[in-house]
Amino acid sequence: MATYKLADPTPQAIQQELSSYSPFLQQLLHQRGVVTAQEAHAFINPSYEEHLHDPFLLHDMNRATKRILRAIQSKEQIAIYSDYDCDGIPGAVVLHDFFHAIDHAAFQNYIPHRHYKGFGFNSEAVRKLAEQKVTLIITIDCGTTDVEAVAVAKELGIDVIITDHHEPKEVLPDAYAIVNPKLGDSYPFSGLCGSGVVYKLVQALITEGKKNKIVTLKEGWEKWWLDMVGLATIADMVPLVGENRVLAHFGLQVLRKSRRLGLQHLLYAKT
């Protein structure tokens, strides 16, 4: 038989702070750690413009952005190396769509086989990509702990930019850049999923690329890719607070209007 335990009542001070909301909503907010009127407003009314952080605050973001833009300018062969899960693949789609949108055709997507290759950035794949003249690999949702594979890439003359959200170990790979919200103390939110990190990378590429006239996209075009980011954020089961709540909120809105034919059929197929 299931046992249920009632939540503790909302403290009087928090009730007063959240007095503009119903007692039931006060309780829900309190249970989620939202205890001030400002926090409650941000939680209930996510703002794309106000509640997303500067992507350049992420560890190595400036270095990663400059390297990718240089690769775009010189038409280098780029490999997008993503994990195979509900987080990695949507992130790979975001970066794929970014390269297509700016007409950079010299790239490929690589997804390791779940059963034969396993999780993470692996040396065998690096060697195959080197044979295909790849000079820059961008990982998605993996790489933070893959010291050996990054070392192999460096030996073969391939720069590796890691974008990931997994916990770093004591020894980091000798990558060109590691963009991970769990590294350093400059980024205000450590809970992004892998696709969220990639979206921040794309935001930074657009901002910096427009300065150098390498990237020319209509203002706000990247918001169309939030369907993938919102889907990944929810499916990867990261906490739906802070930036994640913003990305999930607007991601679901874009998902309803998605231009992706596959999603349209999944969402609106007649039974």
Side-chain angles (χ1 to χ4, degrees), residues 200-264:
K200 305 303 292 191
L201 174 65
V202 167
Q203 285 183 315
L205 288 169
I206 292 171
T207 299
E208 193 65 25
K210 283 184 175 180
K211 291 179 185 177
N212 306 318
K213 297 183 179 179
I214 300 171
V215 175
T216 54
L217 290 176
K218 291 181 179 179
E219 190 70 29
W221 186 260
E222 71 278 6
K223 293 178 183 178
W224 280 111
W225 307 327
L226 282 167
D227 55 353
M228 292 290 98
V229 183
L231 185 65
T233 298
I234 294 167
D236 207 45
M237 299 178 68
V238 290
L240 291 181
V241 297
E243 276 193 306
N244 287 341
R245 186 167 175 81
V246 180
L247 295 171
H249 174 83
F250 289 102
L252 290 174
Q253 289 191 16
V254 176
L255 188 63
R256 296 186 184 99
K257 306 173 184 177
S258 180
R259 300 175 178 182
R260 305 180 196 280
L261 187 60
L263 287 177
Q264 289 175 7

Side-chain angles (χ1 to χ4, degrees), residues 37-55:
Q38 184 178 2
E39 290 172 345
H41 180 77
F43 190 86
I44 295 170
N45 304 284
S47 169
Y48 186 88
E49 286 73 24
E50 296 178 18
H51 300 149
L52 292 182
H53 305 302
D54 180 353

